[in-house]
Every structure is written in structure tokens, then in C-alpha cells.
């Protein structure tokens, strides 16, 4: 069951342990992933199929999912689900379209023209996890900003179900969002196929989307060959609540993260010991109703806690130190915290803004930095699907005016050829 932490030393120990979630000795994972990457690089689709049969299912129905099967999945999908996904897609579009940006031009004397040019990436890959929780919402969160950015082609990879078939609801979401191709493969082998390209799977410029430790390790190892969104760790939520907060709501929100993964972290910070005990009791009641009770129980036992902290300033300090993926403020005046907490992936203000609202519907992206990386990184956005280039145009007269400065710096660096490139253009 979840622990109540009161002493500073035990709070520090708890935070330190959480920082190391899934980050111990990964040498075996790295060794395995390295072998998979090399195998796929050399043997392509044959290697991908081998690993799919080994880890996902013996007889996948498809490798590349035919377009008619994707269309059929959409047409046969539950109409209520499709309507819910459409509403969610509209909200995601409305939020992300504001992120779209244009390049700019700077014109100076003597005919100098400088530009920043923004272009969409040509082709991106989306990884959608399967397993016990196929993340339909991840399709929307990754594909919608890519489309807004103007990405030329979106290739999705997702593991087959145990019976070898594609998850029809994931296919329906792909159709709704305009995904161009879908392949039934997962794990490090799918990441390798997207990075290197195979006979069947086209190589991409960037891979986005969450996944297992093997997926995260493959993305990390292939960064440089391709770009990635982030190295995502286990999910997490931190809630700051006062004595007026509803313990039932808090317990429900803590459990909504704990059910993700045995390594997930769910943390409450409050000054009220009465609230802490009430939340602990409520967790016990709600836990018994969950299908994923065993997963949530392990998360609560190992990586979750209730921190008793009387000082608002110290509460904020702990929150900024932890830098959670999701941060909920359940206080009487939640807006008082908005400008003081600065390290988080996404902020949820008030008791009617629970974290699942962000996962599925509100509009801001749910692909978020985890494990403290919110101190320096950002949620997935339209910016992840563009590249910025610069353009320089100088006239002869403009170059002559700049020549002495350029030559001086180049010669001080010992780069005579650089200096000479300017000199030969400025000779009488």
C-alpha cells in the first residue's frame, strides 16, 4: 500500500529511488537491443518478422496492413468511439494549430537578405504500443501535430494482437488521422526498421511515440541516424492538495497513473495528515475495483507516496525538484500555484481537471517528458515535425564592408583558407 512520508530524510530517499526507476543496470537490454538493430540493418524485413513471431505472435495476419482493412476497421468501429475520437481530434487540432509558425526575412543595407526557412519533415514514424493497453489516443496525439506541420508521409508501427490481427480501434484512429501506412511490428525491431528502412518499411527522418524499455533504448541508440521525440520513462503524476480537496478524487487520479505500469509513480503532497489518511483509505477501496489491480498495487507499494509538507514554499520546492510528467493542483485557489511551479510536462488546475482529461480530450499533447526531464524538455508539438534552415544573400559591396572583420577572426583561429575565401573576392 502507498506510504505516508513525514521526515525530510525519508522524502529525499523516496525521490532518489524514484529517479532511478527503470534506470538501473540496463546492460542486458542494451546488449539485446544492439543485436536486434544490427540484425534488422543487415537482414531487414526477415529479421523484423523473426522477432515478431518470437515475442508477439507466431502468425501475424499482416505485415503491411492493407488499406482496405484499415478502411473496414474504421467503417465497422463503434460509432460512439468514432464520435469521441473526432471530438478529441478537433480539440487537439485547435490547440496545436496555434503552434504553427512561419519563417522570417531580415533585410539590411547593401542588399543583404537573411532568412529563416521552416519546412516540414518529409516522413515520420509513429510507434503505438500494443500489449495489454493499446494506446488509441497516442495515434491522435502524434499524427495530428504532424499533419498540422505538413509532414509528407506518416508511417505507423504497432504490434499485432496475440491472435495475429491488428487492433481494429488503433486502425480506425489511424484512418481518422490520415496515417499513410501501418505495419504490424513492435519493439526495438520496429524502431530499427523505421530508422534504417527495409524493402517494405520506408525509412523515416524522425520517430515519435512511447514504448517499452526496449523501444526507448532503441530510440536512444539510433538518435543521430534519425531524430526522436524523447526517451520516455514510466508514467507519473504528482498532486498538490490542501485540506479542502476531495480524497476520493485524489485517490482516483493516483490510481489512474499507477495502473499504467509497475514502475509508474503516483505522489501526493499535502499539509493535511487527515487528508493523507483519507486518501490512503480511499485508495484501498478503489483498488479492489480495478482490472489492473496487481500492476497498480506494485506501483503504489514501490514508487508512490504521500508527502506531508506544511509549508507551501516547500511543497513547490519538492514539486519542482521532482519535475513530474503530470502535475495536478487541487487546492482552494489553484491559480496561486500556476506561476510558482515551473517543472512539469502538463499542469492540471482544480478538482475538475483530472489527468485523464489531458490524456484523451482537452487538446494539449499527452506525449510528455518524464523522470525529471521536464526541467529542460517539452511536450510533443508541431515544432517536433519541422526543421529550420537559414539563408544568406550578400552583395559584393556588403561583403567588402565585412571582409576585414571576417579575415581577422579567421586568421586568429588559424584557418587561412577561410580567410582566403574572403580575400579572393575582395582583390582589386
Amino acid at each position: 500500500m502507498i506510504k505516508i512520508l513525514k521526515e525530510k530524510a525519508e522524502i529525499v530517499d523516496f525521490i532518489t529511488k524514484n529517479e532511478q526507476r527503470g534506470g538501473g543496470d540496463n546492460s542486458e537490454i542494451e546488449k539485446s537491443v544492439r543485436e536486434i538493430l544490427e540484425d534488422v540493418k543487415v537482414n531487414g524485413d526477415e529479421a523484423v518478422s523473426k522477432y515478431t513471431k518470437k515475442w508477439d505472435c507466431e502468425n501475424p495476419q499482416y505485415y503491411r496492413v492493407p488499406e482496405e482493412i484499415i478502411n473496414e476497421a474504421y467503417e465497422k468501429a463503434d460509432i460512439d468511439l468514432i464520435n469521441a475520437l473526432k471530438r478529441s481530434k478537433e480539440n487537439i487540432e485547435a490547440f496545436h494549430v496555434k503552434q504553427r509558425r512561419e519563417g522570417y526575412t531580415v533585410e539590411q543595407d547593401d542588399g543583404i537578405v537573411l532568412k529563416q526557412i521552416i519546412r516540414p519533415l518529409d516522413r515520420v514514424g509513429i510507434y503505438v504500443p500494443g500489449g495489454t493497453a493499446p494506446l488509441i489516443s497516442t495515434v491522435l496525439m502524434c499524427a495530428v501535430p504532424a499533419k498540422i506541420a505538413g509532414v509528407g508521409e506518416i508511417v505507423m508501427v504497432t504490434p499485432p494482437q496475440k491472435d495475429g490481427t491488428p487492433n481494429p480501434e488503433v486502425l480506425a484512429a489511424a484512418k481518422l488521422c490520415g496515417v499513410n501506412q501501418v505495419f504490424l511490428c513492435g519493439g526495438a525491431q520496429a524502431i530499427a526498421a523505421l530508422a534504417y528502412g527495409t524493402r517494405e518499411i520506408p525509412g523515416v527522418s524522425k520517430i515519435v511515440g512511447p514504448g517499452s524499455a526496449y523501444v526507448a533504448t532503441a530510440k536512444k541508440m539510433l538518435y543521430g541516424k534519425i531524430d526522436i521525440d524523447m526517451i520516455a520513462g514510466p508514467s507519473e503524476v504528482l498532486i498538490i492538495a490542501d485540506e479542502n480537496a476531495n480524497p476520493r478524487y485524489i485517490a482516483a487520479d493516483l490510481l489512474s497513473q499507477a495502473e499504467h505500469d509497475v514502475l509508474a509513480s503516483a505522489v501526493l503532497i499535502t499539509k493535511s495528515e487527515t487528508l493523507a489518511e483519507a486518501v490512503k483509505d480511499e485508495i484501498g477501496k478503489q483498488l479492489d475495483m480495478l482490472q489492473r489491480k496487481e500492476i497498480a498495487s506494485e506501483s503504489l507499494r514501490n514508487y508512490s507516496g504521500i508527502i506531508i509538507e506544511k509549508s507551501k514554499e516547500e511543497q513547490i520546492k519538492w514539486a519542482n525538484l521532482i519535475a513530474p510528467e503530470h502535475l495536478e493542483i487541487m487546492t482552494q485557489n489553484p491559480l496561486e500555484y500556476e506561476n510558482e511551479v515551473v517543472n512539469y510536462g502538463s499542469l492540471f488546475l482544480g478538482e475538475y481537471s483530472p489527468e485523464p482529461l489531458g490524456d484523451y480530450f482537452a487538446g494539449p499533447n499527452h506525449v510528455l517528458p518524464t523522470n525529471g526531464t521536464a526541467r529542460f524538455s517539452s511536450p510533443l508539438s508541431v515544432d517536433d515535425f519541422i526543421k529550420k534552415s537559414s539563408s544568406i544573400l550578400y552583395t559584393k559591396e556588403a561583403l567588402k564592408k565585412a571582409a576585414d572583420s571576417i579575415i581577422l577572426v579567421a586568421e586568429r583561429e588559424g584557418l587561412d583558407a577561410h580567410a582566403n575565401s574572403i580575400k579572393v573576392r575582395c582583390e582589386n
Side-chain angles (χ1 to χ4, degrees), residues 15-288:
I15 293 173
T16 301
K17 180 184 177 184
N18 271 17
E19 288 174 346
Q20 297 167 353
R21 283 177 304 142
D25 183 6
N26 288 326
S27 57
E28 287 303 313
I29 291 179
E30 291 176 1
K31 179 183 177 184
S32 178
V33 169
R34 192 171 288 109
E35 291 172 356
I36 293 168
L37 300 187
E38 185 60 28
D39 194 1
V40 174
K41 183 178 182 180
V42 173
N43 298 305
D45 300 307
E46 180 183 342
V48 176
S49 297
K50 176 181 70 177
Y51 294 119
T52 298
K53 291 177 181 179
K54 180 178 179 181
W55 289 314
D56 294 318
C57 66
E58 290 186 2
N59 295 298
Q61 188 174 15
Y62 307 106
Y63 187 37
R64 176 176 177 173
V65 182
E67 187 174 351
E68 58 267 24
I69 299 300
I70 299 173
N71 293 338
E72 182 181 335
Y74 182 81
E75 290 163 5
K76 290 184 176 180
D78 174 55
I79 189 63
D80 291 334
L81 174 65
I82 293 299
N83 287 336
L85 293 179
K86 283 181 176 179
R87 291 181 67 194
S88 176
K89 179 172 178 279
E90 289 171 1
N91 292 340
I92 296 167
E93 286 172 336
F95 182 83
H96 286 77
V97 76
K98 298 288 187 181
Q99 297 171 352
R100 191 161 51 193
R101 62 170 81 184
E102 303 293 332
Y104 57 84
T105 300
V106 177
E107 296 185 10
Q108 299 176 347
D109 294 339
D110 298 317
I112 297 171
V113 180
L114 310 174
K115 295 181 181 180
Q116 182 178 81
I117 302 165
I118 294 177
R119 296 185 178 92
L121 301 182
D122 55 351
R123 184 187 293 129
V124 301
I126 294 176
Y127 187 92
V128 179
T132 58
L135 300 184
I136 306 166
S137 54
T138 293
V139 182
L140 278 68
M141 291 293 182
C142 292
V144 169
K147 281 288 186 182
I148 290 172
V151 168
E153 187 177 0
I154 300 173
V155 181
M156 190 176 90
V157 292
T158 187
Q161 300 182 112
K162 290 300 180 185
D163 64 357
T165 62
N167 183 292
E169 293 173 344
V170 169
L171 293 187
K175 172 66 176 178
L176 178 65
C177 295
V179 172
N180 300 95
Q181 299 184 65
V182 179
F183 291 88
L184 286 191
C185 55
Q189 62 272 20
I191 301 299
L194 288 172
Y196 294 124
T198 68
R199 185 179 64 256
E200 294 286 335
I201 300 178
V204 301
S205 298
K206 184 165 188 167
I207 301 172
V208 302
S212 67
Y214 286 84
V215 168
T217 301
K219 287 168 70 176
K220 180 179 179 181
M221 288 182 171
L222 287 165
Y223 175 66
K225 169 66 178 173
I226 44 88
D227 191 18
I228 62 172
D229 50 352
M230 62 188 75
I231 302 168
S235 191
E236 55 204 25
V237 66
L238 188 152
I239 301 172
I240 297 176
D242 62 19
E243 65 277 6
N244 301 299
N246 188 321
R248 192 164 176 232
Y249 295 173
I250 295 171
D253 292 359
L254 293 173
L255 287 168
S256 75
Q257 290 307 294
E259 74 170 353
H260 263 294
D261 189 328
V262 295
L263 295 174
S265 173
V267 179
L268 168 65
I269 300 178
T270 183
K271 67 180 181 181
S272 171
E273 295 189 34
T274 302
L275 179 69
E277 293 293 345
V279 169
K280 186 173 181 178
D281 290 344
E282 190 64 40
I283 286 174
K285 295 175 187 176
Q286 295 185 28
L287 186 61
D288 286 332

Side-chain angles (χ1 to χ4, degrees), residues 111 156 284 300 317 349 359 363:
M156 190 176 90
L300 291 171
K317 187 181 295 184
L349 295 166
D359 272 354

Side-chain angles (χ1 to χ4, degrees), residues 320-334:
N320 284 330
L321 177 64
I322 294 170
E325 178 185 16
H326 308 102
L327 175 61
E328 295 187 10
I329 308 296
M330 287 198 204
T331 61
Q332 201 159 25
N333 297 301

